[in-house]
Amino acid sequence: MTTDQATQTLNPRVAEVFSDMLEAVATVIQKRSVTYEEYREVGGFLEEVAKQGELPLLMDVFLGVVVDDANYTANGGTESNVEGPFYIPDAPILQPPYALPRRGNEPGEPLVMSGTVRGLDGKPLTGAMLDMWQANGAGEYSHFHPGVPEFNMRGRFTTDSEGRFEVRTVVPAAYEIPKQGPTGRLLNALGRQFFRPAHLHVKLSHPSYQSLTTQIYFEGDAYLHSDVAGAVKDELVVALQKDDARSNGEQQALDSPSYTCSCSFVLQPQA
Ligand code: MBD
Ligand code: FE
């Protein structure tokens, strides 16, 4: 596509929103009497952010939650939450019994996440799809952290005839924004802490219901109230239960506990 064609096909909403953004930035320049030098420095910073591939990270740390809030309407269904910068579409479709793809030595304690997907009327939804992704127990996301295999800790699976699902994975670690990059340097300058609480990402879909992008957090996490992205919602926090005596016959070393958590999702019917 040539530049001319790109200009002609620019979404009018982008032009509209950009125009308002310019107005907002102009107000800041006036208010702070920003010098030409400072103005160039901000440009250089943004250039560095883009060069390091951190633009989605920077945007999602500071503005993702605003976009989620701006689009939120209380409708009785499970609350939405920010998608974050690490979603990859077309994750592998899993076969039961479901387990997110992971290495034999994957960092993180074993976790079985189970639950139900229902409609607003309480009806269990058969064949609802969960598209799930997460960091491992070392806080690493595949496709973004070097050395982690493609689609590691990412997968799609569906609910059974009673709207239930169960998937094996590992307990994710709290996610730390990379300290060396420009986003980290900015957080440091702002005196902010670098962590997101541990979380699971999930997109839910069903032909007759509205799709939902949300996250699951765990009770007792040290960063629930200081999330660098400010995205935690109380309704999305679940108990992480230590399961000492699993009765499914799976071998568990004594020093390697396993965990369970239970999540029920409610989808809003198609408008
Ligand atoms: C993440 O893993 C994330 O989920 C969000 C919203 C922002 C930064 C990193
Ligand atoms: Fe995340």
Side-chain angles (χ1 to χ4, degrees):
M1 182 185 274
T2 68
T3 310
D4 275 359
Q5 280 169 327
T7 309
Q8 281 162 19
T9 56
L10 187 69
N11 179 347
R13 275 282 288 175
V14 173
E16 209 171 270
V17 170
F18 198 77
S19 162
D20 280 8
M21 272 175 52
L22 291 177
E23 222 174 278
V25 172
T27 307
V28 174
I29 294 172
Q30 289 282 2
K31 177 180 150 195
R32 297 282 184 184
S33 304
V34 172
T35 66
Y36 213 71
E37 222 175 15
E38 292 166 336
Y39 161 76
R40 290 290 179 214
E41 197 168 325
V42 169
F45 173 77
L46 290 175
E47 207 167 1
E48 179 68 13
V49 168
K51 219 161 74 189
Q52 303 281 330
E54 285 194 0
L55 202 47
L57 177 69
L58 182 86
M59 290 175 73
D60 284 348
V61 163
F62 290 101
L63 296 172
V65 72
V66 184
V67 178
D68 182 52
D69 282 351
N71 288 277
Y72 175 70
T73 41
N75 60 21
T78 301
E79 290 195 56
S80 64
N81 207 215
V82 290
E83 180 177 288
F86 304 134
Y87 177 63
I88 302 285
D90 305 322
I93 300 207
L94 308 179
Q95 298 302 322
Y98 301 131
L100 295 190
R102 67 183 203 249
R103 296 162 286 181
N105 59 348
E106 195 65 45
E109 309 288 3
L111 168 66
V112 177
M113 178 206 189
S114 61
T116 57
V117 182
R118 295 174 184 276
L120 201 50
D121 54 5
K123 193 179 125 201
L125 301 184
T126 305
M129 182 174 273
L130 289 89
D131 184 349
M132 191 172 156
W133 72 106
Q134 63 170 95
N136 64 14
E140 302 163 337
Y141 281 93
S142 59
H143 300 247
F144 296 91
H145 194 278
V148 182
E150 244 196 5
F151 289 111
N152 201 58
M153 306 266 82
R154 299 173 185 270
R156 291 183 286 170
F157 50 92
T158 49
T159 52
D160 68 13
S161 59
E162 282 153 34
R164 294 177 191 284
F165 65 87
E166 181 175 292
V167 62
R168 284 168 182 283
T169 179
V170 298
V171 179
Y175 178 79
E176 185 176 26
I177 308 297
K179 280 207 160 74
Q180 340 71 258
T183 306
R185 281 190 282 125
L186 179 59
L187 287 171
N188 194 44
L190 293 171
R192 298 258 298 257
Q193 70 90 14
F194 285 65
F195 284 89
R196 294 215 65 223
H199 56 278
L200 305 168
H201 290 272
V202 59
K203 281 177 184 281
L204 296 108
S205 58
H206 184 284
S208 315
Y209 289 79
Q210 289 179 35
S211 296
L212 172 70
T213 300
T214 191
Q215 296 188 35
I216 297 295
Y217 304 92
F218 304 110
E219 281 173 11
D221 191 295
Y223 300 104
L224 283 183
H225 305 289
S226 59
D227 180 6
V228 62
V232 179
K233 292 174 174 176
D234 290 347
E235 187 199 295
L236 302 176
V237 180
V238 304
L240 184 62
Q241 256 138 1
K242 196 163 168 180
D243 188 3
D244 297 308
R246 286 195 66 78
S247 54
N248 61 6
E250 187 180 310
Q251 287 276 318
Q252 290 291 344
L254 280 172
D255 58 350
S256 172
S258 74
Y259 292 84
T260 59
C261 72
S262 166
C263 317
S264 34
F265 298 99
V266 177
L267 299 185
Q268 174 84 355
Q270 209 74 258

